[in-house]
Amino acid sequence: MNWEQDRSGESPQMELELEQALKHFKASMDAWSGAAYSRPRSATQAAVRHTWRMAASWALGCVVVMGSLAGAVHVVVHRQEMARIAAQKAAQKAAEERTAAAQVTAQPTSAQPVSTQSGKKTPVATVRKVSAAQDSAQAQDEDLLASVDSDVSREVPAAMEPLAQLMDDNGTQ
Amino acid sequence: MAAGTAVEPMTAETAEDIAAQEFARIVESHRPQIFRFLLSSLRDVDLAETLTQDCFLKAHRNWKHFRGDSSAMTWLMRIAINLQKDYWRNRRIQFWRQTRTNAVDLDEASEWLPNGERNAEQQMLAREQVAHVWQAVKGLSERQRTVFLLRYVEERELREIADATGLSEGTVKAHLSRALGRVRTELRGTR
């Protein structure tokens, strides 16, 4: 190379040093590029890295899809559960309303108030108890009237004659 | 024309074969130089290999348009310089991207020296000088660096550098002068 073209007005020592430095620089670049040019290529390594990257992206994709599906299933199940609970509550409320209506209709006909000792009995059981008490009270009344009639007829037979006659008249007619 | 010297008409296939052979020869002879120029510009072995591949791919595509106005080496250098420019431009545009770079640092680049007959002291001195030149190259503008490397690594003539870079010879000289001034400053700083 013609160094004379590139020389400046610097001192000869400086120019010599510059020339040496540039020669060393070129020799260094030759050595580096020669070594890099003839180095073994890492094509297989790149392929392996590529495979790993593909596997990782597939795994990530699968995780995302599975997560989405699981989320969707969870939402559906949650909604179904909520609907079931709501239906159960509505049915319970309707039953309570029916019971309350039955209680309201049964209360005016009862002869005496039903004693609720525990206060925890169900309305249906209370209604049954009320009707049983009414039946027993009616039977007691009839027994009492029959015993009075028999006592009167035994003690005072004449007192019962008009009544017996009246009954006979009714039977002949 | 005598029967023994009759020339058969060249078919299109034959012409293509010849062109392919010629291109293969050019690749074989010029590839190491293109790679060296790109390596010195980028300090990245993988990137230099990739851009060298791109350079010859581009050259192959445009081979039929090569008219031979300049030498094949100058033509290839022009392609390599443009590829390198595109690379730096893309890096500047995509500055927000965390691009993976394998560029070696200046100390590592300075470690490379041929195994000559020099003693340890001379080797150390040479390594220091190389490190100072790298330091100066790092501070050069893109154009100054290209001109400097083409002149002092690839040992191209001023005319060839002007052809490859698209600059005038006067501009090439000016860039070289500034680049050398910076190297001198670096070397002077060591004294």
Side-chain angles (χ1 to χ4, degrees), chain B residues 1-2 5 12 29 41 46 49-50 53 63 68 73-74 82 96 98 116 120 125 135 142 153 156 158 165 176 181 183:
Chain B
M1 193 179 280
T5 58
S29 59
S41 299
D46 292 335
E49 271 183 1
T50 307
Q53 288 270 15
W63 182 236
M73 184 63 201
T74 306
N82 286 333
W96 64 88
Q98 192 70 29
L125 186 70
Q135 200 62 43
E142 192 184 312
V153 177
R156 299 282 118 196
L158 295 178
T165 54
L176 270 180
V183 176

Side-chain angles (χ1 to χ4, degrees), chain B residues 145-168:
Chain B
R145 186 175 58 238
T146 301
V147 169
F148 177 83
L149 293 173
L150 285 174
R151 179 71 173 154
Y152 296 109
V153 177
E154 299 307 321
E155 297 188 329
R156 299 282 118 196
E157 291 300 322
L158 295 178
R159 179 74 252 157
E160 286 177 305
I161 297 171
D163 278 351
T165 54
L167 302 169
S168 68

Side-chain angles (χ1 to χ4, degrees), chain A residues 35-153:
Chain A
Y37 192 77
S38 55
R39 71 173 179 159
R41 302 294 189 272
S42 56
T44 51
Q45 208 178 1
V48 168
R49 207 164 43 214
H50 183 66
T51 312
W52 269 109
R53 198 174 297 164
M54 273 203 41
S57 54
W58 266 102
L60 192 66
C62 286
V63 166
V64 168
V65 168
M66 292 294 282
S68 307
L69 282 176
V73 167
H74 175 74
V75 166
V76 168
V77 167
H78 181 70
R79 279 184 186 164
Q80 281 178 349
E81 185 72 13
M82 292 299 287
R84 195 178 61 77
I85 290 169
Q88 219 171 18
K89 278 183 179 173
Q92 200 175 351
K93 198 175 173 183
E96 279 174 6
E97 281 174 0
R98 270 200 306 274
T99 309
Q103 243 178 347
V104 166
T105 52
Q107 233 167 8
T109 57
S110 62
Q112 55 192 30
V114 179
S115 63
T116 52
Q117 287 175 352
S118 61
K120 289 178 184 174
K121 288 178 181 171
T122 59
V124 178
T126 313
V127 169
R128 280 181 187 160
K129 200 166 181 179
V130 167
S131 59
Q134 284 174 352
D135 290 345
S136 68
Q138 203 171 354
Q140 276 178 359
D141 288 348
E142 281 175 4
D143 288 346
L144 186 65
L145 280 174
S147 65
V148 167
D149 283 348
S150 63
D151 287 348
V152 169
S153 61

Side-chain angles (χ1 to χ4, degrees), chain A residues 6 17 24 26 28 30 39, chain B residues 36 112 129 152-153 191:
Chain A
D6 303 330
E17 194 179 340
H24 288 147
K26 177 170 169 46
S28 168
D30 286 347
R39 71 173 179 159
Chain B
R36 184 176 55 201
W112 290 96
Q129 284 181 333
Y152 296 109
V153 177
R191 288 181 181 174

